[in-house]
Amino acid sequence: MKLAVTGKGGTGKTTIAGLLARFFADDGFRVLAVDADPDANLASAIGLPEDQARAIVPISQRRRLIKERTGAQPGRPGQMFKVNPTVSDIADAYAVDHRGIKLLVMGGIQTGGAGCACPENTLLRNLLSEIILNRDEVVIVDMEAGIEHLGRATSRAIDLMIIVVEPGSRSLDTAETIMRLAREIGVSSFGIVGNKIRNEEEKRWLEARFPGDKILGMVSDRDIIRESDLNRIALADRLDDDLRKEFGAIYRACKSARPAR
Ligand SMILES: Nc1ncnc2c1ncn2[C@@H]1O[C@H](COP(=O)(O)OP(=O)(O)OP(=O)(O)O)[C@@H](O)[C@H]1O
Ligand SMILES: [Mg+2]
């Protein structure tokens, strides 16, 4: 099962990705959680202790590994390098284990412009692609809103692209753009999580904007979520009955997504 979590900045992608990872893991699945957001913080969302989270070196900053695999120095343009570096051992070698979840922090993949054709980007893109195509665990990728670095083959192997939306037109516009771009590169299945819902009116507002079968679920706006983030406490360890019900519904909807291939 390959899940990618996207959406406008700040909508709750990392919160949702972290909780899903914990729900799958607590249910007995092997989980590989991939932090593909340059501003990585999935570690705290899955509840990794702060000292361990701080010690993680993202793949994008592992200069020796990048040099060894691509044959070129990272950050230096104009060099020859391998476009198909060996990456299949990287997830197991560099992921950190926490409560049944393997967490792999990728670091930033630059998109567009000159940043695209450098050795570190090539390594990261190949790695993400290899993970989505070949791993047999539940893979949950916390992405940024940009999905341009997903290639076609990779996109087609995503079983469900989860788009986190807040009640608001800007978040909605971003969701629509993501969906259009993702469809163009071959993503076939989408699910919406409505997050930070403050009342019935906001819930209905979102419900009116997506087909019912596309909505995986909604999460209320709750101080406990913000406070968990502020105090670096794993939200999954503090869920009350209401939140457990909301997330449980989202988890079950994700679990029953039809495989892409
Ligand atoms: N349902 C909610 N109720 C209250 N606060 C929430 C809720 N969901 C997320 N938040 C808070 O909103 C903030 C942003 O959440 P999060 O980091 O998960 O978003 P993101 O989409 O990953 O952001 P970024 O684009 O910066 O990566 C955090 O402080 C988080 O605790
Ligand atoms: Mg995030």
Side-chain angles (χ1 to χ4, degrees):
M1 164 83 62
K2 309 291 165 42
L3 307 170
V5 185
T6 68
K8 189 172 165 52
T11 47
K13 299 178 289 293
T14 302
T15 304
I16 305 287
L19 274 170
L20 278 175
R22 285 286 301 265
F23 269 65
F24 272 105
D26 290 350
D27 213 3
F29 290 90
R30 285 179 304 121
V31 177
L32 176 60
V34 179
D35 197 338
D37 189 326
D39 189 10
N41 49 16
L42 185 57
S44 83
I46 64 168
L48 192 72
E50 192 180 347
D51 53 334
Q52 287 180 48
R54 280 187 197 282
I56 295 175
V57 180
I59 302 298
S60 64
Q61 289 172 25
R62 293 189 175 270
R63 301 178 67 85
R64 202 167 349 131
L65 177 72
I66 295 166
K67 170 105 198 305
E68 174 197 303
R69 298 305 169 93
T70 64
Q73 291 284 359
R76 226 187 273 164
Q79 307 168 85
M80 300 282 280
F81 56 85
K82 277 189 205 152
V83 291
N84 261 326
T86 304
V87 289
S88 55
D89 58 327
I90 292 179
D92 287 317
Y94 293 97
V96 176
D97 281 292
H98 181 65
R99 295 183 61 152
I101 301 169
K102 277 178 190 268
L103 170 71
L104 184 69
V105 179
M106 306 262 281
I109 304 180
Q110 293 169 28
T111 53
C116 272
C118 60
E120 57 270 42
N121 262 356
T122 302
L123 185 82
L124 291 177
R125 287 170 68 125
N126 275 277
L127 177 57
L128 185 59
S129 177
E130 194 273 336
I131 286 171
I132 291 177
L133 289 168
N134 299 336
R135 300 291 298 198
D136 60 3
E137 303 110 312
V138 173
V139 174
I140 301 173
V141 188
D142 178 7
M143 311 235 304
E144 44 182 341
I147 52 162
E148 298 88 339
H149 51 265
L150 290 175
R152 275 196 170 266
T154 315
S155 303
R156 276 200 291 268
I158 293 175
D159 299 304
L160 181 65
M161 179 168 276
I162 299 165
I163 306 182
V164 185
V165 185
E166 284 177 58
S169 50
R170 281 188 291 276
S171 155
L172 202 71
D173 291 347
T174 305
E176 277 162 5
T177 308
I178 292 171
M179 244 185 278
R180 181 171 46 79
L181 294 174
R183 263 198 204 102
E184 278 170 21
I185 55 173
V187 177
S188 56
S189 180
F190 297 90
I192 302 291
V193 170
N195 191 24
K196 306 192 189 179
I197 308 289
R198 283 176 301 184
N199 49 46
E200 274 301 309
E201 194 188 334
E202 291 190 341
K203 192 173 170 201
R204 281 196 299 272
W205 186 90
L206 270 181
E207 278 168 353
R209 278 156 182 84
F210 296 98
D213 63 340
K214 288 283 174 250
I215 298 180
L216 300 166
M218 306 250 182
V219 182
S220 301
D221 189 275
R222 295 286 307 276
D223 285 342
I224 191 176
I225 300 183
R226 221 166 278 120
E227 285 160 15
S228 301
D229 185 19
L230 274 177
N231 301 316
R232 294 183 183 278
I233 300 169
L235 179 59
D237 296 327
R238 305 181 71 199
L239 295 179
D240 57 20
D241 288 349
D242 289 343
L243 278 176
R244 190 162 284 286
K245 212 159 128 195
E246 292 179 350
F247 279 116
I250 293 167
Y251 166 62
R252 285 189 299 279
C254 290
K255 206 166 68 165
S256 60
R258 249 191 326 193
R261 305 176 287 173

